[in-house]
Amino acid sequence: MIMERETRVSVFESENPTEIQLIKSKLTVGNVTSFLNDKYMSFTTTPTAKTIRLMVNLQDEQKAFEIIDAYLKETDLDLNINFKN
């Protein structure tokens, strides 16, 4: 039996570990398995800057984007309410 290697794609990037964990938990609740892929940024930033990528299996990409978009819209809504007060 030949095991196929899963193709993973990046669905969210941030330098903020708290933000990454929040999105990761949203994906978990939505039954999307995600993986962290943190690497030092390339020449575009300082050597100490670090970006973290949230990866999902290719077949979960669409669902992951839907979950992330819904979360970001909720967050924008909350921010708009806070700005009005």
Side-chain angles (χ1 to χ4, degrees):
M1 184 170 153
I2 298 174
M3 297 288 289
E4 284 190 40
R5 186 172 182 269
E6 293 284 344
T7 301
R8 294 181 183 163
V9 292
S10 175
V11 292
F12 190 78
E13 291 184 15
S14 177
E15 291 181 16
N16 181 341
T18 304
E19 187 175 38
I20 289 289
Q21 286 301 324
L22 186 60
I23 298 291
K24 186 171 176 37
S25 69
K26 295 282 185 187
L27 292 174
T28 301
V29 169
N31 290 320
V32 174
T33 302
S34 59
F35 311 88
L36 295 178
N37 180 11
D38 56 338
K39 294 190 176 190
Y40 284 98
M41 294 288 287
S42 62
F43 59 89
T44 57
T45 60
T46 62
T48 56
K50 198 171 183 183
T51 188
I52 305 167
R53 288 186 180 163
L54 205 49
M55 313 288 286
V56 299
N57 291 328
L58 184 60
Q59 68 268 21
D60 293 330
E61 181 181 27
Q62 184 63 40
K63 187 174 181 183
F65 278 130
E66 290 169 7
I67 292 167
I68 293 167
D69 286 346
Y71 166 72
L72 293 176
K73 285 178 185 170
E74 284 176 22
T75 305
D76 287 347
L77 191 63
D78 290 345
L79 290 175
N80 290 337
I81 291 168
N82 290 337
F83 283 134
K84 291 179 183 175
N85 292 334

